[in-house]
Amino acid sequence: MFEEHSVELSWGERELRLETGLLARQADGAVLASYGATRVLCTAVYARTAREGVNFLPLTVNYQEKTFAAGKIPGGFFRREGRPGEKETLTSRLIDRPLRPLFPKGYRCETQIVCTVLEHDLQNDPDIPALIGASAALHLSGAPLLAPVAAARVGWLKGSPVLNPTLGELEESELDLVLAGTANGILMVESEAKELNEEQMLEALGFGQESFAPVLAAIEELGGKARKPAFVVPPANDALKGLDEKMTQAFGAKIQTCYEKTKKTERVQALEELRGEVTKTYAELEDNSGVLEVLKGLEKHWVRKKTLEQKVRIDARGLEDIRALDCRAGYLARTHGSALFTRGETQALAVATLGTPQDSQIVDALAGEYREHFMLHYNFPPYSVGEANMMRPPGRREIGHGKLAWRALRPLMPSKEDFAYTVRVVSEITESNGSSSMATVCASSLALMDAGVPLRSACAGIAMGLIKEGEEVAILSDILGDEDHLGDMDFKVAGSDKGITALQMDIKIEQITLEIMRSALAQAEHGRKHILATMARCIDHPRDSLSEHAPRMRTIKVPKDKIREVIGAGGKVIRELQETTGARIDIDDDGTVRIAAVEERAIEAAIEKIEALTASAQIGKIYKGKVVRIMDFGAFVNFLGGKDGLVHISEIAHHRIGRVSDVLAIGDEVTVKCLRIDEQGRVGLSIRATQEDEGGGSGGGGGGGGGGGERQQRYGEEVHHSPYSSDDSQGERRGGGGGGYDRDRRGGHGDKRGGGGGGHGDKRGDRGGGGDRRSSHKSRPSYRD
């Protein structure tokens, strides 16, 4: 039933296995690529007839990650995979870029590659087996690919390159380099590095290219067992044969005139008029769909010839010249940081915003969920190239360019421990004529320094181009958009004055040699340092202070066992803290608390409340609290955030009260003193004791009830009557002939409330005269004792 074939090899200390014949048998080509325990199903399907009305290769690549591959269920309401995430989009681009140049010129058949991650071992990234599997599937399908493609990842550990490092090793690596190519050379490069120099990058590239050979041999071996007959590309339109010579004679001088216009808008306008004239001239052809394609070929030939022979480019620059630069930091006053970077006719406005850890992006990846504290987003509106098109959400190109700039800057960002802010940079391309992604790197670096983000160094980027005809080679610095379209290479290099932080290379020819890359890197280093010097004249180090509009952040530490006091049940306490203070509060598992707010007073208020929440009660200390519950025997007072203590009925006031609710109500704010803490952590509090500590008098003798006297306090405020007094006399006068009132001894001879001359001084019903019967010679137990 199944005709299965497989090949396997030991590669980078793990097994690479390619299988076909069991899955997806109706696809033109299907390969199950396994590396370690990570497995990706790669399929290729193509139409046998050309797609009408297109003058480009209609190739589509879709890489998709299924959450079941890592034993997870998708989040969200629908609990199923939705639109592609950033990782899926970037990997789709990664697969597309090295395969596209290998299709023959004129191939216009709809072609689709789908790579589905079926298993992820959480150690080996699926992108490398996906790219290898896609190449193998195309090879088996019989599609007219000029040659199979291999790919590899290279790390840099302990001063040496490492083949296919695991995800764990990448965390320690100084390099994450992905490259793809054929037996003859390199087709695609994507990397992030921690300021490696040019020689180290070349060593890593050469090391990766050497690893291609066994993979390519395995694809060829599998093809020998299961490849379908090769597809023959339909011949070109006979009506167009010899048309290039006729068009050269008729329009060659006009093409030259168009490309002598150094300003983009003027050149574009002239070329549009020329194309209209050409289309009108050859309208009588039965099939004139390829006329403009022939014209484009003539344009390409003229530009390339002039560059190689005269060493002069479209805008009259030399091969290594950089366009005019203009840098402006702090362009927007109300933002946290901003910069406007202009290079020729390319301009980027970058804006940096500082947020709290709560603003970090939660990334739900197959390898596990994590938080990203640095984000960079790139936008390319149609007006930047003088077009009136529909505004769309960011596409693959925008996501890819933003990620490249992010890779360039991330190695220079401070650690979370040194700079706890979440940072977002947005790059708005306001004008574009080549290398807007590298303009984004420069503008973002300036904006981050303007925001006071302590970058280790400024970062600049430059795009290098290539024109190659046989043995003739011209490497171009800071390429224009037309040089990108009509040239052979787009090689972007970003980094600091110390080394490279990011590389990206795409080519339109079959391969690039290491010697060409060596020359391009050397020329790029010179250009990068020129740009950095210009940027330094604008701003050469991060601002010493943050913008007045940026949030301030303070960090404190609380004991781990107190974290729950700050958070509260279901986050109730921390939400209330944020609502009442206006500050944003984040707390880590180790007890680190970060408080952020634009106003310093909000931070101080939050810190004060958190310290109160996490403080431990101490006997003898006085606290402010709130009545939260009333019982017959007393009241419970919340006095340290989540901690409650009991105020016994006898500790509420100096006089006897009948019901607690007559004196206290839920929500009353009171001042309490901690009297005791028992072995179970229960706290006994007193309101009465705080009044004594604040100096409420106990008077001595005096007859007739006039002696002594004592003013009571309720809830920390002085009151001038007792609920037990029958008139509005001054205070509650306890005293008499017995003299004084010893609060520390509530029984026996020491506490003689009344005495012989009580009289009308203490009008508690009939409690005057011969003394207060609560005393006599007996003592009663006290809660305080």
Side-chain angles (χ1 to χ4, degrees), residues 734-739 752-758 769-772:
R734 302 181 183 177
K752 296 183 178 178
R753 301 187 183 182
D772 193 338

Side-chain angles (χ1 to χ4, degrees), residues 249-412:
Q249 294 176 0
F251 299 102
K254 292 185 178 181
I255 292 173
Q256 181 176 343
T257 301
C258 290
Y259 278 99
E260 284 176 349
K261 297 181 182 299
T262 58
K263 192 172 181 180
K264 178 186 175 183
T265 53
E266 296 176 357
R267 185 169 62 252
V268 168
Q269 180 65 28
L271 286 169
E272 285 296 324
E273 293 174 359
L274 175 61
R275 287 161 189 158
E277 184 179 351
V278 169
T279 302
K280 184 177 180 180
T281 300
Y282 295 100
E284 74 279 0
L285 291 178
E286 291 184 9
D287 183 3
N288 66 352
S289 60
V291 170
L292 292 181
E293 190 171 351
V294 173
L295 177 61
K296 182 179 178 181
L298 295 178
E299 295 175 24
K300 181 176 181 179
H301 173 73
W302 189 90
V303 170
R304 294 165 67 88
K305 181 179 178 181
K306 179 183 178 182
T307 304
L308 287 171
E309 292 180 356
Q310 303 178 25
K311 309 300 180 187
V312 176
R313 299 160 63 179
I314 297 173
D315 57 356
R317 279 185 294 151
L319 302 185
E320 298 187 29
D321 292 344
I322 308 297
R323 288 173 288 177
L325 301 172
D326 183 85
C327 306
R328 305 185 186 191
Y331 181 73
L332 302 176
R334 289 285 303 180
T335 60
H336 301 166
S338 64
L340 185 68
F341 177 85
T342 309
R343 180 171 54 211
E345 295 173 304
T346 296
Q347 185 179 77
L349 173 62
V351 182
T353 305
L354 306 182
T356 70
Q358 292 182 24
D359 295 312
S360 62
Q361 182 184 14
I362 301 174
V363 181
D364 187 14
L366 278 187
E369 184 178 287
Y370 65 93
R371 286 184 174 268
E372 184 55 66
H373 297 273
F374 172 48
M375 296 164 279
L376 196 152
H377 299 142
Y378 166 104
N379 296 314
F380 193 87
Y383 66 76
S384 65
V385 287
E387 295 178 355
N389 287 332
M390 183 181 295
M391 295 288 288
R392 293 182 174 88
R396 289 188 174 187
R397 179 181 179 276
E398 286 79 10
I399 293 172
H401 281 23
K403 194 66 173 182
L404 174 60
W406 177 86
R407 287 193 180 106
L409 288 161
R410 188 175 74 147
L412 303 173

